[in-house]
Amino acid sequence: MSIEETEDKVILTHPREPTTKVSILKYGATVISWENKGKEQLWLSEAAKLDGSKPVRGGIPLVFPIFGKQKNEEHPTYKLPQHGFARNSTWEFLGQTSENPLTVQFGLGPENANKEIYNLWNEGKNNFTLILSIELGDDHLKTNIEVENNGDEAFDFNWLFHTYLKVPDVTDCLVTNLIDQKCYDQLLATEYIEKSPMVCFNEEFDRIYKKIDTDKIFQVVELGKVLINVQRENLPDSVVWNPWIEKSNGMADFEPKNGYLNMLCIEPGHVSDFVTLKNGEKWSGSQTISLGGDIKVQSNIY
Ligand code: TA6
Protein backbone atom coordinates (compact mmCIF):
# COMPACT_ATOMS: atom_id res chain seq x y z
CA MET A 1 0.00 0.00 0.00
CA SER A 2 1.62 3.29 -1.10
CA ILE A 3 0.12 5.40 1.69
CA GLU A 4 -0.55 4.19 5.21
CA GLU A 5 -2.04 6.56 7.80
CA THR A 6 -1.94 5.75 11.49
CA GLU A 7 -3.00 7.93 14.42
CA ASP A 8 0.33 9.73 14.65
CA LYS A 9 2.14 9.01 11.37
CA VAL A 10 1.84 8.76 7.59
CA ILE A 11 4.08 6.25 5.79
CA LEU A 12 4.69 6.43 2.03
CA THR A 13 6.02 3.39 0.18
CA HIS A 14 7.41 3.80 -3.33
CA PRO A 15 4.94 1.98 -5.64
CA ARG A 16 7.73 0.30 -7.63
CA GLU A 17 10.42 -0.03 -4.97
CA PRO A 18 8.95 -1.24 -1.64
CA THR A 19 12.23 -0.67 0.25
CA THR A 20 12.04 3.06 -0.56
CA LYS A 21 9.80 4.73 1.97
CA VAL A 22 9.34 7.88 4.01
CA SER A 23 7.72 8.25 7.44
CA ILE A 24 6.19 11.53 8.57
CA LEU A 25 5.12 12.24 12.14
CA LYS A 26 1.96 14.38 12.18
CA TYR A 27 3.52 16.24 15.12
CA GLY A 28 5.51 18.96 13.44
CA ALA A 29 4.84 17.25 10.05
CA THR A 30 8.34 15.98 10.81
CA VAL A 31 9.90 13.57 8.31
CA ILE A 32 11.51 11.09 10.75
CA SER A 33 12.79 8.55 8.23
CA TRP A 34 13.64 8.34 4.55
CA GLU A 35 14.86 4.92 3.44
CA ASN A 36 16.12 4.73 -0.13
CA LYS A 37 16.32 1.10 -1.26
CA GLY A 38 16.42 0.05 2.39
CA LYS A 39 19.17 2.53 3.42
CA GLU A 40 18.25 5.24 5.94
CA GLN A 41 19.31 8.71 4.73
CA LEU A 42 18.28 10.84 7.73
CA TRP A 43 19.69 10.87 11.27
CA LEU A 44 17.25 10.46 14.16
CA SER A 45 18.38 10.56 17.75
CA GLU A 46 17.71 7.35 19.69
CA ALA A 47 16.30 9.65 22.40
CA ALA A 48 14.14 11.71 20.05
CA LYS A 49 10.70 12.39 21.54
CA LEU A 50 8.06 11.12 19.05
CA ASP A 51 5.11 11.59 21.43
CA GLY A 52 4.56 15.32 20.82
CA SER A 53 6.19 16.31 24.10
CA LYS A 54 8.94 18.27 22.35
CA PRO A 55 10.27 18.89 18.83
CA VAL A 56 11.89 15.86 17.22
CA ARG A 57 15.69 15.63 17.48
CA GLY A 58 16.46 14.53 13.95
CA GLY A 59 14.76 13.95 10.62
CA ILE A 60 13.48 17.22 9.09
CA PRO A 61 12.02 19.55 11.75
CA LEU A 62 10.28 22.63 10.29
CA VAL A 63 11.27 26.13 11.40
CA PHE A 64 8.59 28.90 11.17
CA PRO A 65 8.02 31.85 11.65
CA ILE A 66 11.39 32.55 13.29
CA PHE A 67 14.80 30.92 12.92
CA GLY A 68 16.67 30.87 16.20
CA LYS A 69 15.59 33.37 18.84
CA GLN A 70 14.49 36.92 17.98
CA LYS A 71 16.60 39.47 19.84
CA ASN A 72 14.61 42.58 18.91
CA GLU A 73 12.02 43.11 21.66
CA GLU A 74 9.84 45.12 19.27
CA HIS A 75 9.55 42.34 16.70
CA PRO A 76 6.28 40.28 16.69
CA THR A 77 8.35 37.07 16.89
CA TYR A 78 10.21 38.20 20.04
CA LYS A 79 8.18 36.11 22.48
CA LEU A 80 8.36 32.91 20.40
CA PRO A 81 10.63 30.06 21.50
CA GLN A 82 13.67 29.17 19.37
CA HIS A 83 12.65 28.09 15.86
CA GLY A 84 8.97 29.02 16.32
CA PHE A 85 5.90 26.77 16.51
CA ALA A 86 5.66 24.77 13.23
CA ARG A 87 7.73 21.91 14.69
CA ASN A 88 5.71 21.92 17.95
CA SER A 89 2.26 21.73 16.32
CA THR A 90 0.29 18.73 15.05
CA TRP A 91 -0.37 19.22 11.34
CA GLU A 92 -3.39 17.90 9.44
CA PHE A 93 -2.76 15.17 6.84
CA LEU A 94 -4.41 16.48 3.66
CA GLY A 95 -3.90 13.39 1.49
CA GLN A 96 -2.23 12.43 -1.79
CA THR A 97 -1.70 14.94 -4.59
CA SER A 98 0.32 12.85 -7.06
CA GLU A 99 0.98 9.18 -7.83
CA ASN A 100 4.19 9.53 -9.77
CA PRO A 101 6.16 10.78 -8.01
CA LEU A 102 4.18 9.82 -4.89
CA THR A 103 3.34 13.10 -3.15
CA VAL A 104 1.29 13.98 -0.07
CA GLN A 105 0.44 17.20 1.75
CA PHE A 106 0.07 18.38 5.34
CA GLY A 107 -1.52 21.64 6.50
CA LEU A 108 -1.19 24.01 9.46
CA GLY A 109 -3.15 27.11 10.40
CA PRO A 110 -4.26 28.97 13.53
CA GLU A 111 -6.97 26.32 14.01
CA ASN A 112 -4.45 23.52 14.62
CA ALA A 113 -1.27 25.37 15.56
CA ASN A 114 0.05 24.91 19.10
CA LYS A 115 -2.17 27.62 20.64
CA GLU A 116 0.06 28.47 23.56
CA ILE A 117 2.99 29.21 21.28
CA TYR A 118 1.03 30.61 18.30
CA ASN A 119 -0.55 33.23 20.60
CA LEU A 120 2.93 34.54 21.34
CA TRP A 121 3.24 35.59 17.69
CA ASN A 122 1.69 39.07 17.28
CA GLU A 123 -0.80 38.03 20.02
CA GLY A 124 -2.25 35.37 17.73
CA LYS A 125 -3.52 37.98 15.25
CA ASN A 126 -1.69 36.65 12.15
CA ASN A 127 -3.89 34.44 9.97
CA PHE A 128 -1.81 32.04 7.87
CA THR A 129 -1.90 28.73 6.02
CA LEU A 130 1.12 26.45 5.65
CA ILE A 131 0.95 23.61 3.10
CA LEU A 132 3.85 21.14 3.21
CA SER A 133 4.26 18.83 0.20
CA ILE A 134 6.44 15.71 0.49
CA GLU A 135 7.50 13.99 -2.73
CA LEU A 136 9.11 10.52 -2.66
CA GLY A 137 11.14 9.91 -5.83
CA ASP A 138 13.22 6.97 -7.04
CA ASP A 139 16.39 8.53 -5.59
CA HIS A 140 15.23 11.86 -4.14
CA LEU A 141 13.04 13.36 -1.44
CA LYS A 142 11.56 16.79 -2.08
CA THR A 143 9.89 18.94 0.57
CA ASN A 144 8.07 22.08 -0.52
CA ILE A 145 6.42 24.65 1.73
CA GLU A 146 3.76 27.16 0.72
CA VAL A 147 2.98 30.03 3.10
CA GLU A 148 -0.19 32.09 2.60
CA ASN A 149 -1.25 35.23 4.46
CA ASN A 150 -5.01 34.87 5.00
CA GLY A 151 -5.21 37.87 7.31
CA ASP A 152 -5.68 41.62 6.92
CA GLU A 153 -2.17 42.61 8.00
CA ALA A 154 1.20 41.83 6.42
CA PHE A 155 3.54 39.62 8.46
CA ASP A 156 7.26 38.79 8.36
CA PHE A 157 8.56 35.25 8.65
CA ASN A 158 11.60 32.98 8.32
CA TRP A 159 11.37 29.46 6.93
CA LEU A 160 13.94 26.65 7.27
CA PHE A 161 14.06 22.89 6.73
CA HIS A 162 16.22 21.74 9.68
CA THR A 163 17.44 18.60 7.91
CA TYR A 164 19.57 16.06 9.83
CA LEU A 165 21.47 14.06 7.18
CA LYS A 166 22.89 10.67 8.14
CA VAL A 167 26.57 10.13 7.26
CA PRO A 168 28.96 7.21 7.94
CA ASP A 169 31.56 9.49 9.59
CA VAL A 170 31.33 13.29 9.48
CA THR A 171 35.13 13.56 9.79
CA ASP A 172 35.36 11.88 6.36
CA CYS A 173 32.86 14.31 4.84
CA LEU A 174 33.31 17.57 2.93
CA VAL A 175 30.62 19.98 1.73
CA THR A 176 31.07 21.67 -1.64
CA ASN A 177 30.07 24.98 -3.24
CA LEU A 178 30.13 27.19 -0.14
CA ILE A 179 33.41 28.90 -1.08
CA ASP A 180 33.28 32.71 -1.47
CA GLN A 181 29.87 32.83 0.21
CA LYS A 182 29.17 35.23 3.05
CA CYS A 183 28.43 33.42 6.29
CA TYR A 184 27.57 34.36 9.87
CA ASP A 185 29.50 32.14 12.27
CA GLN A 186 27.20 31.55 15.27
CA LEU A 187 30.11 30.34 17.39
CA LEU A 188 32.37 33.34 16.74
CA ALA A 189 29.42 35.79 16.44
CA THR A 190 31.08 37.22 13.37
CA GLU A 191 30.54 37.37 9.63
CA TYR A 192 33.15 36.43 7.04
CA ILE A 193 33.59 35.03 3.56
CA GLU A 194 33.99 31.26 3.43
CA LYS A 195 37.34 30.48 1.86
CA SER A 196 37.30 26.67 2.03
CA PRO A 197 36.69 25.04 -1.36
CA MET A 198 35.13 22.16 0.61
CA VAL A 199 34.31 22.69 4.29
CA CYS A 200 35.31 19.91 6.70
CA PHE A 201 34.15 18.93 10.19
CA ASN A 202 36.48 18.34 13.11
CA GLU A 203 34.90 20.58 15.77
CA GLU A 204 31.55 22.24 16.53
CA PHE A 205 30.25 23.92 13.36
CA ASP A 206 27.35 26.38 13.19
CA ARG A 207 27.28 28.79 10.24
CA ILE A 208 24.50 30.59 8.38
CA TYR A 209 25.49 30.86 4.70
CA LYS A 210 23.68 33.81 3.17
CA LYS A 211 22.12 34.62 -0.20
CA ILE A 212 23.64 31.76 -2.17
CA ASP A 213 22.51 31.43 -5.79
CA THR A 214 19.98 28.59 -5.84
CA ASP A 215 21.78 27.12 -8.87
CA LYS A 216 24.50 26.06 -6.40
CA ILE A 217 24.10 22.47 -5.23
CA PHE A 218 25.51 21.60 -1.79
CA GLN A 219 27.12 18.16 -1.98
CA VAL A 220 28.21 15.98 0.93
CA VAL A 221 31.29 14.19 -0.40
CA GLU A 222 32.61 11.26 1.65
CA LEU A 223 36.08 9.89 0.81
CA GLY A 224 35.79 11.30 -2.72
CA LYS A 225 32.29 9.99 -3.47
CA VAL A 226 29.09 12.09 -3.50
CA LEU A 227 26.76 10.87 -0.77
CA ILE A 228 24.05 13.53 -0.89
CA ASN A 229 23.07 16.53 -3.00
CA VAL A 230 20.93 19.35 -1.59
CA GLN A 231 19.16 21.56 -4.13
CA ARG A 232 17.00 24.57 -3.32
CA GLU A 233 14.19 26.56 -4.88
CA ASN A 234 13.61 30.08 -3.54
CA LEU A 235 15.58 29.36 -0.36
CA PRO A 236 18.61 31.69 -0.53
CA ASP A 237 20.28 30.69 2.74
CA SER A 238 21.53 27.52 4.36
CA VAL A 239 22.65 26.72 7.87
CA VAL A 240 25.32 24.05 8.28
CA TRP A 241 25.49 22.59 11.78
CA ASN A 242 27.25 19.87 13.69
CA PRO A 243 26.99 20.10 17.50
CA TRP A 244 30.17 18.07 18.11
CA ILE A 245 31.01 16.62 21.55
CA GLU A 246 30.13 19.27 24.16
CA LYS A 247 26.82 20.39 22.63
CA SER A 248 25.77 16.77 22.00
CA ASN A 249 26.46 15.97 25.66
CA GLY A 250 24.35 18.98 26.62
CA MET A 251 21.22 17.81 24.74
CA ALA A 252 19.22 15.24 26.76
CA ASP A 253 17.42 14.07 23.60
CA PHE A 254 20.67 13.60 21.62
CA GLU A 255 21.66 9.93 21.72
CA PRO A 256 23.95 8.16 21.28
CA LYS A 257 26.32 10.86 22.54
CA ASN A 258 28.81 10.05 19.78
CA GLY A 259 25.99 10.38 17.25
CA TYR A 260 27.46 13.72 16.14
CA LEU A 261 29.91 11.64 14.10
CA ASN A 262 27.02 10.22 12.05
CA MET A 263 25.01 13.36 11.33
CA LEU A 264 25.33 16.66 9.53
CA CYS A 265 22.62 19.33 9.30
CA ILE A 266 22.37 21.14 5.97
CA GLU A 267 19.36 23.40 6.44
CA PRO A 268 18.02 25.33 3.42
CA GLY A 269 15.94 28.34 4.37
CA HIS A 270 15.17 32.04 4.20
CA VAL A 271 16.67 33.17 7.50
CA SER A 272 19.21 35.95 6.85
CA ASP A 273 16.31 38.37 6.67
CA PHE A 274 12.51 38.14 6.76
CA VAL A 275 10.05 37.38 3.98
CA THR A 276 7.25 39.97 4.15
CA LEU A 277 3.89 38.60 3.04
CA LYS A 278 1.03 41.03 2.44
CA ASN A 279 -2.58 39.92 2.97
CA GLY A 280 -3.65 37.45 0.29
CA GLU A 281 -0.06 36.82 -0.87
CA LYS A 282 1.62 33.39 -1.13
CA TRP A 283 5.27 32.37 -0.93
CA SER A 284 6.89 28.97 -1.50
CA GLY A 285 10.27 27.31 -1.25
CA SER A 286 11.64 23.78 -1.50
CA GLN A 287 14.60 21.50 -0.91
CA THR A 288 15.39 18.39 -2.94
CA ILE A 289 17.72 15.84 -1.36
CA SER A 290 19.14 13.37 -3.89
CA LEU A 291 21.78 10.66 -3.74
CA GLY A 292 25.08 10.01 -5.51
CA GLY A 293 26.25 11.35 -8.87
CA ASP A 294 29.36 13.28 -9.81
CA ILE A 295 31.11 15.99 -7.82
CA LYS A 296 29.97 19.33 -9.28
CA VAL A 297 32.35 22.12 -8.41
CA GLN A 298 30.27 25.25 -9.12
CA SER A 299 32.79 27.76 -7.82
CA ASN A 300 36.20 29.03 -8.80
CA ILE A 301 38.38 27.11 -6.37
CA TYR A 302 41.72 28.00 -7.98
O1 TA6 B 1 20.33 25.18 12.99
C1 TA6 B 1 21.38 25.29 13.90
C2 TA6 B 1 20.81 25.66 15.26
O2 TA6 B 1 20.28 26.96 15.23
C3 TA6 B 1 21.93 25.51 16.28
O3 TA6 B 1 22.41 26.77 16.72
C4 TA6 B 1 21.28 24.68 17.39
O4 TA6 B 1 20.61 25.52 18.30
C5 TA6 B 1 20.32 23.83 16.53
O5 TA6 B 1 19.76 24.77 15.64
C6 TA6 B 1 19.31 23.01 17.31
O6 TA6 B 1 18.36 23.83 17.89
P1 TA6 B 1 17.20 23.12 18.79
O7 TA6 B 1 16.27 24.23 19.18
O8 TA6 B 1 16.54 22.08 17.90
O9 TA6 B 1 17.93 22.46 19.92
Side-chain angles (χ1 to χ4, degrees):
M1 181 167 53
S2 294
I3 300 176
E4 181 194 352
E5 181 183 1
T6 66
E7 190 184 336
D8 65 344
K9 274 199 274 293
V10 174
I11 297 145
L12 308 186
T13 302
H14 191 291
R16 294 179 303 284
E17 177 44 79
T19 64
T20 292
K21 44 187 25 173
V22 61
S23 297
I24 307 111
L25 198 64
K26 292 176 182 175
Y27 180 72
T30 314
V31 175
I32 54 174
S33 169
W34 169 37
E35 289 183 10
N36 179 270
K37 298 183 181 68
K39 189 164 182 273
E40 181 60 63
Q41 302 299 326
L42 300 175
W43 186 85
L44 183 69
S45 166
E46 291 170 9
K49 297 291 183 199
L50 304 180
D51 59 1
S53 58
K54 72 170 290 187
V56 176
R57 179 67 61 202
I60 308 178
L62 305 175
V63 172
F64 174 88
I66 181 75
F67 171 75
K69 194 73 185 86
Q70 175 60 256
K71 296 180 181 63
N72 170 3
E73 285 190 40
E74 304 307 314
H75 197 277
T77 58
Y78 178 70
K79 293 179 182 163
L80 287 171
Q82 167 147 299
H83 295 341
F85 58 78
R87 64 178 185 167
N88 315 61
S89 299
T90 298
W91 292 51
E92 182 187 352
F93 177 49
L94 303 177
Q96 179 179 348
T97 56
S98 159
E99 267 188 26
N100 185 16
L102 184 54
T103 308
V104 296
Q105 288 188 334
F106 292 78
L108 189 73
E111 66 286 356
N112 61 336
N114 178 315
K115 277 283 171 293
E116 188 189 333
I117 305 179
Y118 164 68
N119 286 333
L120 298 172
W121 183 36
N122 195 20
E123 293 157 6
K125 288 187 287 194
N126 292 334
N127 194 348
F128 69 96
T129 303
L130 302 183
I131 303 286
L132 176 74
S133 301
I134 296 168
E135 174 185 305
L136 177 64
D138 297 347
D139 287 309
H140 76 265
L141 179 71
K142 179 174 181 179
T143 57
N144 182 82
I145 188 66
E146 184 183 274
V147 183
E148 182 173 7
N149 183 344
N150 310 114
D152 302 329
E153 297 170 36
F155 61 69
D156 290 347
F157 69 92
N158 292 147
W159 178 270
L160 178 127
F161 292 107
H162 200 295
T163 309
Y164 287 73
L165 301 171
K166 187 178 171 74
V167 296
D169 182 338
V170 76
T171 63
D172 289 336
C173 291
L174 301 168
V175 174
T176 64
N177 297 324
L178 294 168
I179 186 172
D180 294 335
Q181 300 300 333
K182 188 184 291 183
C183 76
Y184 179 76
D185 189 317
Q186 300 232 68
L187 306 176
L188 302 176
T190 183
E191 191 163 272
Y192 52 77
I193 301 294
E194 180 58 71
K195 294 316 286 175
S196 302
M198 292 186 158
V199 297
C200 62
F201 305 92
N202 45 40
E203 57 186 345
E204 186 181 353
F205 193 106
D206 194 348
R207 300 179 197 174
I208 304 168
Y209 290 89
K210 301 183 172 184
K211 306 263 184 272
I212 304 176
D213 190 312
T214 50
D215 288 344
K216 295 222 167 165
I217 302 171
F218 307 136
Q219 297 183 302
V220 180
V221 179
E222 186 225 11
L223 300 175
K225 281 195 308 49
V226 175
L227 278 184
I228 292 167
N229 307 278
V230 179
Q231 292 169 270
R232 296 158 295 137
E233 288 172 293
N234 201 29
L235 296 175
D237 310 321
S238 185
V239 175
V240 179
W241 178 59
N242 186 289
W244 212 246
I245 300 165
E246 194 183 327
K247 284 285 170 54
S248 302
N249 288 338
M251 293 184 276
D253 62 350
F254 192 104
E255 289 291 349
K257 286 306 172 197
N258 65 353
Y260 67 90
L261 288 168
N262 306 116
M263 51 78 65
L264 178 62
C265 283
I266 296 184
E267 312 164 20
H270 189 128
V271 298
S272 58
D273 56 20
F274 283 99
V275 179
T276 297
L277 215 47
K278 298 193 184 74
N279 62 315
E281 280 188 340
K282 284 184 183 177
W283 172 92
S284 67
S286 71
Q287 68 169 350
T288 300
I289 311 167
S290 60
L291 306 177
D294 299 329
I295 296 178
K296 294 180 185 68
V297 175
Q298 296 172 293
S299 325
N300 176 7
I301 61 172
Y302 304 102

